[in-house]
Amino acid sequence: MTHRPKSYLAGLIGTGVGPSLTPPMHMAEGRAQGLDYVYRTIDLAGLDISPDRVGEVLGWCATLGFDAVNVTHPCKQIVLAHLDRVDPVAARLGAVNTVLFTAEGTVGHNTDTTGFARGFTEGLPGARLDDVVLVGAGGAGTAVADALLRLGTAHLTVVDLDVERAGALARELGDRYREARVEASSFDKLSVLLPEANGVAHATPVGMAEHPGIAFDATLLHPDLWVADIVYRPLDTALLQAARAAGCRTLDGGHMAVAQAVDAFELITGVAPDAARMSRHFRQLVANAS
Ligand code: NAD
């Protein structure tokens, strides 16, 4: 009997996922690794499927032979109720972006948070975490906050235009990470918070090509502050330019975007990808898209 090498089928479930750079990133690395690896988008909006039917969509994917799917906005929380198992990091965060279809059923992981942590550790080695400010308490900000606390942040202050959202996230994080001090604050307090902080992580959409600008007063940046932006379209945001001009160490959003894909690729295929090659490819894709 001839032995057929394993092939891999993966997908990305979400709304408006058509332009995502994740499928080309995964497939190019699959080709480079000599794997037979297909990764497709499953755009719920385009298919006129309501996000609350994500459990059904997972069932179809399992039936059709998918090995795994990534799950993105707006399904990262909804999907939890439809999984057989959730790994502890994703369960603690309450959001899943990777689902594996295994012989024992569906298993959820969150490589946004593991990816931010890995990108942060590699891109800003030795960065101090005594006092950190997070600007943006949405889905991505939640994954970033979780990563910063897992990495050992002692005091985290969450700021958002939506003060209630910032407060709710700070309370949830405080309950989950009792060893840390987590507080919510408002934009007008940044003039007090940032001079004392070691670092600021930015997780609002401000700075994206379609939302140009900087979310907060850049004159508050100072050389003792590291600045991590998670916006990656463009990679060199106005915030990062201002941060470099102010003498800050910086981390661009490509680190998280690539590291979440690196972690997902390994979960899906069991093969450790070449992270540097994936990063080069991703940066080329972003350059070509702009
Ligand atoms: P979201 O809509 O869930 O949350 C955005 C948050 O920012 C909201 O709480 C909102 O109140 C706040 N906000 C909006 N405008 C603001 C402003 N002007 N000032 C202050 N706060 C403001 O969005 P999200 O999914 O969390 O994504 C946020 C950004 O992160 C997007 O730019 C997205 O592209 C980026 N992102 C990057 C990665 C990565 O891998 N690098 C992953 C996910 C998201």
Side-chain angles (χ1 to χ4, degrees):
M1 201 170 86
T2 54
H3 175 67
R4 283 179 63 188
K6 175 161 173 53
S7 60
Y8 299 88
L9 177 59
L12 174 62
I13 300 175
T15 59
V17 291
S20 169
L21 301 179
T22 300
M25 235 197 304
H26 276 249
M27 288 207 289
E29 182 60 19
R31 276 193 301 278
Q33 296 276 357
L35 303 178
D36 190 356
Y37 186 14
V38 173
Y39 188 117
R40 291 274 183 270
T41 54
I42 302 171
D43 184 5
L44 300 181
L47 294 165
D48 201 19
I49 296 173
S50 160
D52 56 21
R53 292 176 61 200
V54 67
E56 262 177 86
V57 179
L58 284 186
W60 301 333
C61 290
T63 302
L64 293 172
F66 276 71
D67 296 285
V69 286
N70 281 133
V71 177
T72 190
H73 179 79
C75 299
K76 288 182 185 179
Q77 276 123 15
I78 311 170
V79 75
L80 272 168
H82 305 282
L83 301 175
D84 296 310
R85 269 198 309 123
V86 180
D87 109 299
V89 170
R92 194 176 195 190
L93 172 59
V96 155
N97 83 328
T98 306
V99 177
L100 306 180
F101 299 102
T102 74
E104 290 78 38
T106 48
V107 185
H109 295 263
N110 191 304
T111 69
D112 291 326
T113 191
T114 60
F116 180 83
R118 187 195 316 212
F120 184 88
T121 310
E122 289 171 359
L124 287 176
R128 285 184 60 186
L129 292 167
D130 304 300
D131 197 330
V132 177
V133 175
L134 169 68
V135 180
T142 303
V144 168
D146 221 69
L148 287 168
L149 288 164
R150 274 201 322 284
L151 289 172
T153 296
H155 180 208
L156 180 70
T157 308
V158 181
V159 171
D160 197 291
L161 281 185
D162 183 336
V163 181
E164 282 180 24
R165 182 178 282 186
L169 178 59
R171 276 192 300 281
E172 283 169 30
L173 292 165
D175 287 345
R176 293 207 297 269
Y177 293 90
R178 295 198 170 269
E179 63 283 15
R181 187 153 67 94
V182 187
E183 292 169 317
S185 193
S186 52
F187 272 84
D188 59 346
K189 299 281 174 11
L190 285 175
S191 58
V192 181
L193 293 165
L194 289 181
E196 299 296 318
N198 308 126
V200 58
H202 170 253
T204 86
V206 181
M208 293 175 74
E210 54 271 44
H211 299 284
I214 303 180
F216 58 91
D217 179 3
T219 64
L220 297 171
L221 298 169
H222 57 85
D224 293 333
L225 198 66
W226 53 258
V227 178
D229 201 344
I230 70 158
V231 169
Y232 61 88
R233 277 176 163 177
L235 283 161
D236 195 22
T237 59
L239 171 61
L240 293 183
Q241 290 170 16
R244 284 200 306 274
C248 307
R249 292 175 76 196
T250 60
L251 183 79
D252 71 41
H255 289 269
M256 177 181 182
V258 172
Q260 65 78 22
V262 165
D263 287 356
F265 186 98
E266 182 157 6
L267 283 169
I268 294 167
T269 64
V271 175
D274 181 332
R277 178 168 57 203
M278 283 181 86
S279 177
R280 283 194 301 277
H281 183 227
F282 174 79
R283 285 166 194 277
Q284 192 60 55
L285 288 169
V286 174
N288 293 347
S290 55

